[in-house]
Amino acid sequence: MRVTVNDNELEVELLGPEGAPVVIACHGAPGLGSRAEPRASFGRLADSYRVLVYDARGSGVSEGKGPFTHEQWAADVEGLREWVGAERVVLAGGSYGGFMAMEYAVRHPDRVLALVLRDTSPDNANEDMARANALATQRVDLDLEKFGRIMDGRTRDDDDLKDCWREILPLYDHVYDPAKVEEKVEATHYRYETHNWAFTENMPRYDLKDRLPSITCPVLVTVGRDDWITPVACSETIARLVPHARLVVFEESGHSPQVEEAEAWTACVRGFLDEVVGAGAPAGRG
């Protein structure tokens, strides 16, 4: 469905029983990501939880009015919380979606029941680690010019973003499958202006480390052992700085344990939420 939030139409899906605790799941990769990934992963919990997934402003098939700032994206999450009618919600996000889940939590701590983070980072230090990991890979012979354009937010148009995305996708999975890479390339919605803004304007200033100790809700941090772009060290930093965080490392995964170790990851998340929130607990109405 289309929902207007802060004067911008968002594509939204709402899964699961009314009255259950609400989970808002944020996708990663601005300009490349969409609600498809959190729908697939958190949709597994829709037997017990009310799961809201959406295409962020400027991504997927949502409207693309700027700015594409963290402040604006966090305000959109708050608008969705108000729209769904939940006083407090579970916030979830992987990769850049994790950035946004943490951004929302430090801006609206009284609205967050719990955080579920996957393969993410508390600051932009992951970028130097990611570049080093990419240059060291034996998996593919990277075109460094394309690699530089997508990492620096200098893609020329949607076709160029697609070409650069194809270049780096082999780095993401624990086991490289060229056919799956091409399938992902073709399934992606490309919004180069959003992507470029995120990596030229937002990332150079991204650093939540000083604010993470203010997050007092329970936090689950999950990460794949072989994650190249937000390595395990980034999740360890989050777990160290957040008072009530627990860290789980998935040994047979890259950037996507929710796919590569789906059963174990889902059981981990479900167990955490059942413990700290309780599937039978009311969502709370505003």
Side-chain angles (χ1 to χ4, degrees), residues 25-50:
C26 308
H27 67 76
L32 289 163
S34 75
R35 68 193 186 282
E37 182 276 316
R39 179 181 62 213
S41 51
F42 286 93
R44 302 167 197 154
L45 304 177
D47 56 343
S48 302
Y49 294 89
R50 188 74 157 158

mmCIF file of all heavy atoms in Angstrom, residues 25-50:
data_model
loop_
_atom_site.group_PDB
_atom_site.id
_atom_site.type_symbol
_atom_site.label_atom_id
_atom_site.label_comp_id
_atom_site.label_asym_id
_atom_site.label_seq_id
_atom_site.Cartn_x
_atom_site.Cartn_y
_atom_site.Cartn_z
ATOM 1 N N ALA A 25 10.993 -3.007 10.283
ATOM 2 C CA ALA A 25 12.269 -3.491 9.753
ATOM 3 C C ALA A 25 12.741 -2.602 8.619
ATOM 4 O O ALA A 25 12.027 -2.428 7.621
ATOM 5 C CB ALA A 25 12.120 -4.935 9.285
ATOM 6 N N CYS A 26 13.933 -2.045 8.770
ATOM 7 C CA CYS A 26 14.515 -1.115 7.797
ATOM 8 C C CYS A 26 15.454 -1.870 6.858
ATOM 9 O O CYS A 26 16.309 -2.626 7.318
ATOM 10 C CB CYS A 26 15.311 -0.032 8.515
ATOM 11 S SG CYS A 26 14.419 0.836 9.831
ATOM 12 N N HIS A 27 15.312 -1.649 5.570
ATOM 13 C CA HIS A 27 16.234 -2.275 4.618
ATOM 14 C C HIS A 27 17.538 -1.487 4.526
ATOM 15 O O HIS A 27 17.620 -0.321 4.934
ATOM 16 C CB HIS A 27 15.584 -2.412 3.243
ATOM 17 C CG HIS A 27 15.307 -1.117 2.538
ATOM 18 N ND1 HIS A 27 16.296 -0.363 1.919
ATOM 19 C CD2 HIS A 27 14.149 -0.443 2.316
ATOM 20 C CE1 HIS A 27 15.758 0.702 1.355
ATOM 21 N NE2 HIS A 27 14.463 0.691 1.587
ATOM 22 N N GLY A 28 18.550 -2.118 3.977
ATOM 23 C CA GLY A 28 19.836 -1.459 3.798
ATOM 24 C C GLY A 28 19.980 -0.857 2.413
ATOM 25 O O GLY A 28 19.022 -0.720 1.659
ATOM 26 N N ALA A 29 21.208 -0.464 2.087
ATOM 27 C CA ALA A 29 21.605 -0.033 0.745
ATOM 28 C C ALA A 29 20.681 1.008 0.148
ATOM 29 O O ALA A 29 19.943 0.721 -0.796
ATOM 30 C CB ALA A 29 21.709 -1.242 -0.181
ATOM 31 N N PRO A 30 20.692 2.253 0.642
ATOM 32 C CA PRO A 30 19.848 3.281 0.043
ATOM 33 C C PRO A 30 20.073 3.371 -1.468
ATOM 34 O O PRO A 30 21.213 3.395 -1.937
ATOM 35 C CB PRO A 30 20.315 4.566 0.735
ATOM 36 C CG PRO A 30 20.941 4.114 1.997
ATOM 37 C CD PRO A 30 21.550 2.778 1.714
ATOM 38 N N GLY A 31 18.972 3.414 -2.212
ATOM 39 C CA GLY A 31 19.075 3.470 -3.668
ATOM 40 C C GLY A 31 19.285 2.130 -4.322
ATOM 41 O O GLY A 31 19.246 2.028 -5.555
ATOM 42 N N LEU A 32 19.491 1.083 -3.524
ATOM 43 C CA LEU A 32 19.660 -0.285 -4.016
ATOM 44 C C LEU A 32 18.752 -1.261 -3.278
ATOM 45 O O LEU A 32 18.255 -2.220 -3.860
ATOM 46 C CB LEU A 32 21.112 -0.740 -3.844
ATOM 47 C CG LEU A 32 22.157 -0.105 -4.755
ATOM 48 C CD1 LEU A 32 23.558 -0.327 -4.196
ATOM 49 C CD2 LEU A 32 22.055 -0.662 -6.168
ATOM 50 N N GLY A 33 18.549 -1.030 -1.997
ATOM 51 C CA GLY A 33 17.728 -1.922 -1.196
ATOM 52 C C GLY A 33 16.251 -1.636 -1.337
ATOM 53 O O GLY A 33 15.829 -0.615 -1.898
ATOM 54 N N SER A 34 15.449 -2.537 -0.789
ATOM 55 C CA SER A 34 13.996 -2.387 -0.786
ATOM 56 C C SER A 34 13.429 -3.225 0.348
ATOM 57 O O SER A 34 14.157 -3.932 1.051
ATOM 58 C CB SER A 34 13.398 -2.830 -2.119
ATOM 59 O OG SER A 34 13.400 -4.249 -2.222
ATOM 60 N N ARG A 35 12.116 -3.182 0.482
ATOM 61 C CA ARG A 35 11.437 -3.941 1.529
ATOM 62 C C ARG A 35 11.532 -5.446 1.307
ATOM 63 O O ARG A 35 11.187 -6.223 2.215
ATOM 64 C CB ARG A 35 9.976 -3.513 1.615
ATOM 65 C CG ARG A 35 9.137 -3.909 0.413
ATOM 66 C CD ARG A 35 7.788 -3.210 0.393
ATOM 67 N NE ARG A 35 6.935 -3.693 -0.689
ATOM 68 C CZ ARG A 35 7.055 -3.349 -1.962
ATOM 69 N NH1 ARG A 35 8.020 -2.510 -2.333
ATOM 70 N NH2 ARG A 35 6.229 -3.838 -2.866
ATOM 71 N N ALA A 36 11.992 -5.887 0.137
ATOM 72 C CA ALA A 36 12.008 -7.318 -0.181
ATOM 73 C C ALA A 36 12.839 -8.109 0.823
ATOM 74 O O ALA A 36 12.429 -9.196 1.257
ATOM 75 C CB ALA A 36 12.540 -7.538 -1.595
ATOM 76 N N GLU A 37 14.016 -7.590 1.206
ATOM 77 C CA GLU A 37 14.883 -8.351 2.127
ATOM 78 C C GLU A 37 14.278 -8.443 3.521
ATOM 79 O O GLU A 37 14.146 -9.548 4.070
ATOM 80 C CB GLU A 37 16.285 -7.734 2.165
ATOM 81 C CG GLU A 37 17.266 -8.490 3.058
ATOM 82 C CD GLU A 37 17.155 -8.090 4.525
ATOM 83 O OE1 GLU A 37 17.050 -6.883 4.804
ATOM 84 O OE2 GLU A 37 17.145 -8.996 5.391
ATOM 85 N N PRO A 38 13.869 -7.339 4.157
ATOM 86 C CA PRO A 38 13.263 -7.498 5.482
ATOM 87 C C PRO A 38 11.933 -8.243 5.449
ATOM 88 O O PRO A 38 11.576 -8.909 6.427
ATOM 89 C CB PRO A 38 13.093 -6.053 5.983
ATOM 90 C CG PRO A 38 13.221 -5.192 4.791
ATOM 91 C CD PRO A 38 14.090 -5.918 3.823
ATOM 92 N N ARG A 39 11.199 -8.158 4.333
ATOM 93 C CA ARG A 39 9.974 -8.948 4.235
ATOM 94 C C ARG A 39 10.289 -10.434 4.269
ATOM 95 O O ARG A 39 9.621 -11.217 4.953
ATOM 96 C CB ARG A 39 9.233 -8.617 2.940
ATOM 97 C CG ARG A 39 7.942 -9.428 2.749
ATOM 98 C CD ARG A 39 7.282 -9.064 1.431
ATOM 99 N NE ARG A 39 8.142 -9.374 0.312
ATOM 100 C CZ ARG A 39 8.185 -8.674 -0.831
ATOM 101 N NH1 ARG A 39 7.438 -7.610 -0.981
ATOM 102 N NH2 ARG A 39 8.996 -9.043 -1.800
ATOM 103 N N ALA A 40 11.344 -10.834 3.559
ATOM 104 C CA ALA A 40 11.713 -12.249 3.534
ATOM 105 C C ALA A 40 12.210 -12.717 4.890
ATOM 106 O O ALA A 40 11.864 -13.821 5.341
ATOM 107 C CB ALA A 40 12.782 -12.485 2.464
ATOM 108 N N SER A 41 13.021 -11.903 5.565
ATOM 109 C CA SER A 41 13.623 -12.348 6.826
ATOM 110 C C SER A 41 12.686 -12.155 8.014
ATOM 111 O O SER A 41 12.445 -13.098 8.785
ATOM 112 C CB SER A 41 14.959 -11.646 7.056
ATOM 113 O OG SER A 41 14.836 -10.243 6.912
ATOM 114 N N PHE A 42 12.125 -10.971 8.179
ATOM 115 C CA PHE A 42 11.255 -10.734 9.333
ATOM 116 C C PHE A 42 9.827 -11.199 9.088
ATOM 117 O O PHE A 42 9.062 -11.381 10.046
ATOM 118 C CB PHE A 42 11.311 -9.264 9.741
ATOM 119 C CG PHE A 42 12.586 -8.913 10.431
ATOM 120 C CD1 PHE A 42 13.655 -8.409 9.711
ATOM 121 C CD2 PHE A 42 12.739 -9.140 11.784
ATOM 122 C CE1 PHE A 42 14.860 -8.122 10.333
ATOM 123 C CE2 PHE A 42 13.932 -8.856 12.418
ATOM 124 C CZ PHE A 42 14.997 -8.343 11.699
ATOM 125 N N GLY A 43 9.471 -11.437 7.835
ATOM 126 C CA GLY A 43 8.168 -12.018 7.550
ATOM 127 C C GLY A 43 8.001 -13.385 8.174
ATOM 128 O O GLY A 43 6.871 -13.835 8.441
ATOM 129 N N ARG A 44 9.107 -14.064 8.456
ATOM 130 C CA ARG A 44 9.041 -15.368 9.133
ATOM 131 C C ARG A 44 8.479 -15.255 10.554
ATOM 132 O O ARG A 44 8.028 -16.244 11.129
ATOM 133 C CB ARG A 44 10.438 -15.988 9.201
ATOM 134 C CG ARG A 44 11.115 -16.180 7.854
ATOM 135 C CD ARG A 44 12.593 -16.486 8.032
ATOM 136 N NE ARG A 44 13.327 -16.273 6.798
ATOM 137 C CZ ARG A 44 14.629 -15.973 6.735
ATOM 138 N NH1 ARG A 44 15.341 -15.867 7.853
ATOM 139 N NH2 ARG A 44 15.229 -15.791 5.581
ATOM 140 N N LEU A 45 8.520 -14.056 11.108
ATOM 141 C CA LEU A 45 8.041 -13.837 12.471
ATOM 142 C C LEU A 45 6.604 -13.348 12.499
ATOM 143 O O LEU A 45 6.056 -13.079 13.575
ATOM 144 C CB LEU A 45 8.938 -12.813 13.177
ATOM 145 C CG LEU A 45 10.433 -13.132 13.220
ATOM 146 C CD1 LEU A 45 11.192 -11.992 13.877
ATOM 147 C CD2 LEU A 45 10.691 -14.435 13.949
ATOM 148 N N ALA A 46 5.988 -13.217 11.319
ATOM 149 C CA ALA A 46 4.654 -12.626 11.243
ATOM 150 C C ALA A 46 3.561 -13.543 11.759
ATOM 151 O O ALA A 46 2.399 -13.157 11.795
ATOM 152 C CB ALA A 46 4.351 -12.204 9.796
ATOM 153 N N ASP A 47 3.914 -14.754 12.191
ATOM 154 C CA ASP A 47 2.933 -15.592 12.879
ATOM 155 C C ASP A 47 2.664 -15.075 14.282
ATOM 156 O O ASP A 47 1.584 -15.308 14.850
ATOM 157 C CB ASP A 47 3.414 -17.044 12.935
ATOM 158 C CG ASP A 47 4.783 -17.201 13.581
ATOM 159 O OD1 ASP A 47 5.517 -16.189 13.706
ATOM 160 O OD2 ASP A 47 5.126 -18.340 13.955
ATOM 161 N N SER A 48 3.633 -14.328 14.842
ATOM 162 C CA SER A 48 3.520 -13.867 16.224
ATOM 163 C C SER A 48 3.659 -12.360 16.390
ATOM 164 O O SER A 48 3.265 -11.822 17.432
ATOM 165 C CB SER A 48 4.602 -14.541 17.089
ATOM 166 O OG SER A 48 4.498 -15.952 17.032
ATOM 167 N N TYR A 49 4.245 -11.692 15.396
ATOM 168 C CA TYR A 49 4.509 -10.264 15.488
ATOM 169 C C TYR A 49 3.865 -9.533 14.316
ATOM 170 O O TYR A 49 3.649 -10.106 13.250
ATOM 171 C CB TYR A 49 6.022 -10.008 15.519
ATOM 172 C CG TYR A 49 6.679 -10.549 16.761
ATOM 173 C CD1 TYR A 49 7.157 -11.860 16.806
ATOM 174 C CD2 TYR A 49 6.777 -9.771 17.906
ATOM 175 C CE1 TYR A 49 7.724 -12.375 17.964
ATOM 176 C CE2 TYR A 49 7.354 -10.281 19.074
ATOM 177 C CZ TYR A 49 7.812 -11.583 19.094
ATOM 178 O OH TYR A 49 8.367 -12.086 20.247
ATOM 179 N N ARG A 50 3.565 -8.263 14.521
ATOM 180 C CA ARG A 50 3.051 -7.384 13.464
ATOM 181 C C ARG A 50 4.268 -6.750 12.810
ATOM 182 O O ARG A 50 4.947 -5.919 13.417
ATOM 183 C CB ARG A 50 2.153 -6.322 14.086
ATOM 184 C CG ARG A 50 1.390 -5.457 13.098
ATOM 185 C CD ARG A 50 0.247 -6.197 12.473
ATOM 186 N NE ARG A 50 -0.784 -5.273 11.980
ATOM 187 C CZ ARG A 50 -1.649 -5.605 11.044
ATOM 188 N NH1 ARG A 50 -1.613 -6.821 10.506
ATOM 189 N NH2 ARG A 50 -2.573 -4.753 10.659
#
